[in-house]
Amino acid sequence: INSIIIFSSLLFATIREYFKLLSSNQMTTINFNNKEYELESLSDSAKATVMSLQFVQTEIKRLEGKIAISKTAETAYLSALQEEIGNE
């Protein structure tokens, strides 16, 4: 369970850093289809799409983290139940 807490903390710290990076405009290029693009050269619509894509990718990672936590908890509960019932 400690590893779950550490993983969750790292995941949320990564998300916070990602949004800090976006808001501070330190991110100046993106790599798409093996080609690098300057963000400033993209249309406003393309910039919005990039931000939406990055948000969705971050959200997928967050949800995958929650699934991993839930699966670990499920395993722990099943193990505890096996100990309780298996001893009867």
Side-chain angles (χ1 to χ4, degrees):
I1 293 187
N2 286 338
S3 62
I4 295 170
I5 294 169
I6 292 169
F7 176 77
S8 296
S9 297
L10 289 173
L11 178 65
F12 290 119
T14 301
I15 293 170
R16 280 193 302 273
E17 289 303 313
Y18 166 75
F19 283 112
K20 281 182 191 175
L21 184 64
L22 283 180
S23 63
S24 68
N25 292 325
Q26 291 176 3
M27 199 166 98
T28 59
T29 61
I30 62 162
N31 192 311
F32 182 72
N33 287 341
N34 296 319
K35 185 174 178 187
E36 199 163 280
Y37 296 88
E38 292 288 329
L39 283 177
E40 290 303 315
S41 70
L42 300 177
S43 68
D44 288 343
S45 177
K47 288 177 192 175
T49 301
V50 167
M51 289 189 71
S52 294
L53 177 61
Q54 290 172 333
F55 174 79
V56 168
Q57 289 171 334
T58 300
E59 185 67 6
I60 289 169
K61 288 178 184 176
R62 186 186 71 80
L63 292 171
E64 287 172 341
K66 289 184 89 170
I67 289 170
I69 290 167
S70 296
K71 285 183 177 183
T72 301
E74 177 187 37
T75 300
Y77 291 135
L78 287 170
S79 178
L81 184 60
Q82 177 62 40
E83 284 184 32
E84 291 293 322
I85 294 176
N87 292 331
E88 292 181 6

